[in-house]
């Protein structure tokens, strides 16, 4: 076998002595380095933290009064560590942390603003438009106490009530009632700026023309959309030229819906969903083609046909076990376990308050309960192994539950 031939000239004159000094040089550099283990964070983890922060510390930068509603512009509270607002999909919501007379409460409110307002790392903001509701426990507190300069803590963006082209039709008919216009305002703004690409026809129900929330603002967006956003105002309590009169019926949907396939999105009070779903069935729409925004307290459970008649005025005891510490509080059959805990000053995890997000996921130890079918967002395994969502669970006897609070 032939030997490998190479030029040895470059090796002549080399000695090991220059290399011996490298050991001393390396030791000096090691001694100068900090005595800590280097940390490495994957870029996906950094992005995830930006998009899904556990909490966003904010300052109220601006307040606009709409009569029985107000719009609040929230900006990052950099002094508390929030440098930017997390980006969101048009029509998502945040959970606002409140303390009302000593009761810790988390309430969901739609981000009404354009997703573009939260894009980037500088001058980012959210706008929440909050209307006085009935009952007005949280909304009254916000509308009467929040002012410019106040500090507010909110969650990251939540919810899946947004347009998805793999599931939804290219044409969307939105049924809005009162402050239910807020997610569709965000969608319209995103369409105008090219962030979303679908056609949106909004049937906006209000009682009177003077009471239409954000009327000028939503019409201005429609005018800028090149026909991709249309707004039809529907008045239930007065007849007036230029407005539709009545309710958001199947006939009205059919009148303004585009030809061909379309999806129906609804946002408003619970009674509107019951009515709207029946109207969608009249149109022959498959279930995948109509959706409802469910964030918010489930109201009027005692009026449901399957609510036990003999339990409507009952009051029971609820025992709450948090990390081994037990508290027993009163709980009426007409109020959820979450309401009872909050009124007693117990800080329980919650976000959507309507049974969907699962943030309040708790273990049932004992007791009987009622959960509305349309608000029961639990998995089959949850039901089998007795896990509940306190935000939409009503006591039918004395109960005990295990609550697992989120890390502070």
């Amino acid at each position: 076998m032939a030997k490998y031939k190479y030029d040895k000239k470059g090796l002549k004159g080399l000695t090991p002595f220059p290399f011996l000094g490298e050991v001393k040089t390396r030791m000096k550099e090691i001694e100068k380095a900090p005595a800590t283990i280097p940390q490495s964070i994957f870029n996906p983890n950094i992005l995830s933290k930006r998009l899904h922060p556990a909490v966003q510390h904010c300052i109220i930068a601006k307040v606009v009064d709409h009569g029985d509603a107000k719009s609040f512009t929230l900006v990052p509270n950099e002094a508390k560590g929030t440098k930017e607002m997390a980006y969101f999909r048009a029509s998502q919501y945040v959970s606002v942390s409140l303390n009302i007379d000593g009761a810790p409460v988390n309430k969901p409110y739609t981000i009404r603003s354009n997703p573009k307002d939260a894009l980037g790392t500088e001058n980012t903001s959210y706008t929440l438009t909050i209307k006085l509701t009935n009952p007005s426990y949280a909304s009254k507190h916000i509308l009467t106490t929040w002012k410019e300069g106040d500090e507010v803590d909110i969650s990251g963006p939540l919810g899946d009530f947004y347009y998805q082209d793999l599931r939804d039709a290219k044409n969307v008919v939105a049924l809005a009632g009162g402050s239910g216009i807020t997610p569709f305002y965000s969608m319209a703004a995103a369409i105008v700026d090219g962030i979303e690409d679908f056609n949106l026809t909004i049937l906006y129900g209000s009682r009177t023309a003077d009471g239409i929330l954000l009327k000028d603002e939503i019409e201005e967006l429609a005018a800028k959309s090149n026909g991709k956003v249309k707004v039809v105002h529907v008045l239930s309590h007065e007849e007036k030229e230029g407005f539709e009169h009545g309710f958001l019926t199947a006939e009205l949907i059919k009148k303004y819906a585009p030809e061909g396939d379309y999806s129906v999105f609804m946002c408003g009070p619970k009674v509107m969903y019951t009515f709207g779903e029946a109207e969608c069935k009249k149109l022959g729409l498959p279930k995948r083609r109509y959706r409802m925004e469910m964030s918010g307290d489930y109201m009027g459970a005692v009026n449901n046909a399957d609510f036990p008649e003999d339990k409507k005025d009952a009051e029971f005891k609820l025992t709450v076990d948090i990390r081994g510490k037990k508290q027993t509080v009163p709980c009426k059959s007409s109020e959820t376990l979450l309401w009872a805990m909050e009124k007693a000053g117990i800080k329980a995890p919650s976000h959507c308050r309507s049974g969907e997000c699962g943030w309040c996921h708790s273990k049932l130890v004992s007791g009987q309960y009622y959960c509305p079918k349309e608000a029961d967002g639990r998995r089959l395994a949850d039901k089998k192994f007795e896990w509940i969502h306190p935000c939409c669970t009503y006591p039918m006897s004395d109960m005990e539950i295990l609550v697992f609070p989120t890390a502070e």
Side-chain angles (χ1 to χ4, degrees):
M1 181 182 291
K3 293 184 178 180
Y4 177 73
K5 296 181 180 180
Y6 57 90
D7 188 357
K8 298 180 181 179
K9 294 179 181 178
L11 297 177
K12 291 181 178 180
L14 287 179
T15 68
F17 299 108
F19 294 97
L20 297 178
E22 289 299 313
V23 176
K24 293 181 179 180
T25 301
R26 184 167 60 179
M27 293 305 297
K28 288 180 182 179
E29 292 299 319
I30 291 175
E31 289 175 0
K32 288 192 297 182
T36 56
I37 299 175
Q39 298 294 317
S40 176
I41 302 176
F42 292 111
N43 283 334
N45 292 346
I46 296 174
L47 179 61
S48 177
K49 190 173 182 180
R50 289 181 63 192
L51 293 177
H52 308 287
V55 62
Q56 298 187 89
H57 304 290
C58 309
I59 294 175
I60 301 174
K62 183 180 179 181
V63 180
V64 178
D65 196 333
H66 306 293
D68 62 348
K70 290 181 180 179
S71 290
F72 302 92
T73 300
L74 308 181
V75 298
N77 187 344
E78 296 194 18
K80 286 193 171 182
T82 298
K83 306 299 183 183
E84 59 183 347
M85 307 301 289
Y87 186 70
F88 63 96
R89 288 293 302 270
S91 78
Q92 283 192 296
Y93 69 90
V94 290
S95 182
V96 179
S97 297
L98 303 169
N99 189 300
I100 305 176
D101 299 326
V105 180
N106 287 312
K107 294 287 285 187
Y109 292 103
T110 298
I111 309 170
R112 191 261 289 181
S113 49
N114 189 338
K116 185 179 179 181
D117 295 342
L119 189 61
T121 58
E122 296 182 355
N123 302 319
T124 56
S125 67
Y126 290 171
T127 297
L128 309 182
T129 297
I130 299 172
K131 183 180 175 70
L132 188 67
T133 58
N134 183 26
S136 58
Y137 182 60
S139 61
K140 182 179 180 180
H141 171 80
I142 291 173
L143 294 176
T144 56
T145 63
W146 279 16
K147 59 185 183 300
E148 289 185 13
D150 284 355
E151 297 182 350
V152 177
D153 286 348
I154 63 175
S155 71
L158 299 165
D160 60 1
F161 186 70
Y162 49 77
Y163 180 79
Q164 297 183 18
D165 56 4
L166 291 178
R167 176 195 59 203
D168 303 314
K170 188 74 170 181
N171 296 304
V172 172
V173 176
L175 309 184
S179 59
I181 189 63
T182 52
F184 305 127
Y185 185 100
S186 182
M187 288 182 183
I191 290 171
V192 169
D193 272 331
I195 296 173
E196 297 283 3
D197 182 21
F198 61 96
N199 301 311
L200 180 64
T201 300
I202 304 173
L203 304 184
Y204 185 7
S206 304
R207 293 186 177 184
T208 64
D210 291 338
I212 299 175
L213 180 62
L214 302 174
K215 180 178 184 295
D216 294 339
E217 293 89 339
I218 192 69
E219 289 179 353
E220 183 179 350
L221 283 175
K224 293 178 179 178
S225 70
N226 293 321
K228 293 182 70 67
V229 177
K230 299 177 182 177
V231 182
V232 179
H233 294 288
V234 185
L235 307 179
S236 62
H237 285 51
E238 70 175 351
E239 294 187 46
K240 195 169 184 179
E241 186 177 352
F243 298 84
E244 290 284 355
H245 173 65
F247 299 101
L248 306 180
T249 62
E251 290 75 16
L252 197 65
I253 296 172
K254 188 174 182 179
K255 179 179 178 180
Y256 288 100
E259 293 185 6
D261 196 15
Y262 61 91
S263 293
V264 174
F265 286 16
M266 304 179 223
C267 187
K270 175 176 173 281
V271 64
M272 174 183 162
Y273 296 159
T274 304
F275 179 83
E277 184 172 15
E279 297 303 294
C280 286
K281 289 179 179 178
K282 290 180 183 178
L283 293 167
L285 293 177
K287 184 67 178 70
R288 64 187 175 85
R289 282 294 186 241
Y290 56 89
R291 308 176 55 213
M292 306 155 194
E293 169 60 292
M294 295 300 294
S295 64
D297 290 288
Y298 185 93
M299 308 300 293
V302 294
N303 298 319
N304 290 354
D306 61 343
F307 192 95
E309 187 69 29
D310 61 334
K311 304 287 187 178
K312 287 189 175 181
D313 298 316
E315 183 172 314
F316 304 103
K317 292 181 180 179
L318 171 64
T319 300
V320 183
D321 186 337
I322 301 179
R323 298 194 180 104
K325 180 182 177 181
K326 293 187 178 182
Q327 295 176 257
T328 299
V329 301
C331 186
K332 298 177 181 178
S333 62
S334 59
E335 66 184 12
T336 65
L337 305 187
L338 179 60
W339 271 96
M341 288 188 283
E342 290 174 341
K343 289 199 303 183
I346 298 175
K347 188 175 182 179
S350 70
H351 280 326
C352 75
R353 302 184 73 94
S354 56
E356 287 199 329
C357 71
W359 209 264
C360 62
H361 201 230
S362 301
K363 183 72 172 69
L364 176 68
V365 177
S366 63
Q368 303 298 315
Y369 63 90
Y370 169 80
C371 180
K373 293 179 181 179
E374 60 267 41
D376 195 349
R378 295 175 297 168
R379 301 167 297 175
L380 291 176
D382 292 336
K383 297 177 183 179
K384 179 178 179 179
F385 297 106
E386 298 189 313
W387 290 81
I388 61 171
H389 293 167
C391 69
C392 59
T393 300
Y394 298 79
M396 296 291 105
S397 70
D398 290 344
M399 297 183 66
E400 182 175 343
I401 61 175
L402 287 172
V403 174
F404 303 90
T406 54
E408 296 294 338

